[in-house]
Amino acid sequence: MKVVICGAGQVGFGIAERLAAEQNDVSVIDTSPRLIQAITDTLDVRGFVGHGSHPDVLARAGLEAADMLIAVTLHDEVNMVACQVGHALFDVPTKIARVRAQSYLQGHWRDLFSRDHLPIDVVISPELEVGEMVLRRLSLPGAVDTVSFNDSNVVVVGVRCQEDCPVLDTPLRQLTDLFPDLRAVVVAVYRDGKTFVPRSTDSLLAGDLAYFAAHSDQVSRTLSIFGHDEPPAQRIVIGGGGNIGLYVARELEQRNPKARVKIIEDSVPRAEEIAQQLSRTVVLRGSALDRAILEEAAVGDADTMIAVTNDDRVNILSCLLSRELGAKRMLSLLNDPAYPAFARGLGIDAYVNPRQITVSKILQYVRKGRIRGVHSLLNGDGEVIEAEALETSPLVGKPLRQLDLFDGMRIGAVIRAGRVLLPRGDTVIQARDRVVMFALADKVKRVEQLFRVSLEFF
């Protein structure tokens, strides 16, 4: 596949890194010579200095022969114009744009991105995606990662196994005997810096980060089995009143009338602006690193401190200070891929990565075959994929125990006619079933092959 990416920042770099590693032909455009130099020195991609919306620059990058244009510069208008130019002058089949300003995304303007106006096939809003991720974490405080599939019928959850986890040192196959009606499957484990797909004979150890797939109504029970039965957060302090902080506070006001929310915002004009848009949320003007402000926000009594400023270092330090003051849980926004491991070492287990979320959203449209959903986990170590099985897929028609296809992969759930089925050895996948499975990064191509049968289907 030939892909042109406009924007060589963190998101553009992350997308280019993933696509180049999978042997795609990638060209990257950015106005910064420094960023282009850095990305071409590091990755097997071609770099072009210039404006991503200018036709001559797009032509030099080879857009006329591209299968996909991904516009993820820092400017919404550049991204939108790039897609318009890609459609009008180069007839690019798939156009993806990152749009951050929420005014563009309001429901009554939904026709803006239609083929007759701004022909963008996929619009990605990082703030909205991150905001929804934060809200899911608040509803499931025992989880360190959550992602939903099949209209939220299946949820994949990351949970930290503490010393008091009741299922430590228990072979996974025995969990079915202990909890016969539990519809949950452990699909991946992160241990000592390495991600692997567990076998039925493997056991979980203290310190493991385990990912399980479960029916949505089984998530809370499964978390409890792993030793996490914390109630949903009700007292919440948000450090940072940007688009994400405002979105989370506004949605909490609408979805959870019992929630008591406070926002700390350093900018006086921004603090005044968001105070006018919120009805029940208390807005405090000050720094999330100011101990006095955190005490005024009663962070010591908070169920969760959410740090979502634009500075990763401020977010980490704010969480650490909040923990010292007594906050029960911390959730940090981290953009730099080098920070999550560092943050975990400091005791901040829950974080959200906008780059990872955006890359996951784009991969859904890059993956070949009947792929319906993709989410990258553990900084790209693996992916959870939802795909539809077709008649000629090698998955169809035989019991799972007879299929020698799953090295580095594990099925977490099968959805058939709206019902979520727990995969067992005697499960037979049928045509049109939806399959939710985890695959290590080097096995993703194999997953595509399992769900990609012949050209007439595409």
Side-chain angles (χ1 to χ4, degrees), residues 2-13 15-16 25-37 39-40 43 45-64 66 68-75 78-79 81-83 85-86 90 92 98:
K2 181 172 178 57
V3 181
V4 175
I5 301 172
C6 297
Q10 289 188 351
V11 172
F13 187 99
I15 298 166
D25 183 352
V26 180
S27 298
V28 182
I29 301 170
D30 200 283
T31 55
S32 168
R34 179 182 60 82
L35 290 178
I36 290 297
Q37 185 67 47
I39 201 169
T40 53
L43 306 177
V45 302
R46 295 185 299 153
F48 299 87
V49 177
H51 289 272
S53 58
H54 289 186
D56 60 325
V57 179
L58 291 168
R60 283 195 291 118
L63 191 60
E64 72 282 351
M68 182 178 294
L69 171 65
I70 303 173
V72 288
T73 74
L74 294 176
H75 307 287
V78 172
N79 298 336
V81 171
C83 289
V85 173
F90 299 96
V92 181
R98 179 172 66 171

Side-chain angles (χ1 to χ4, degrees), residues 120-140:
I120 302 175
D121 301 296
V122 183
V123 175
I124 297 175
S125 171
E127 283 79 8
L128 190 150
E129 299 287 343
V130 171
E132 286 296 323
M133 179 72 76
V134 170
L135 291 166
R136 287 197 295 270
R137 299 284 183 82
L138 291 174
S139 65
L140 297 170

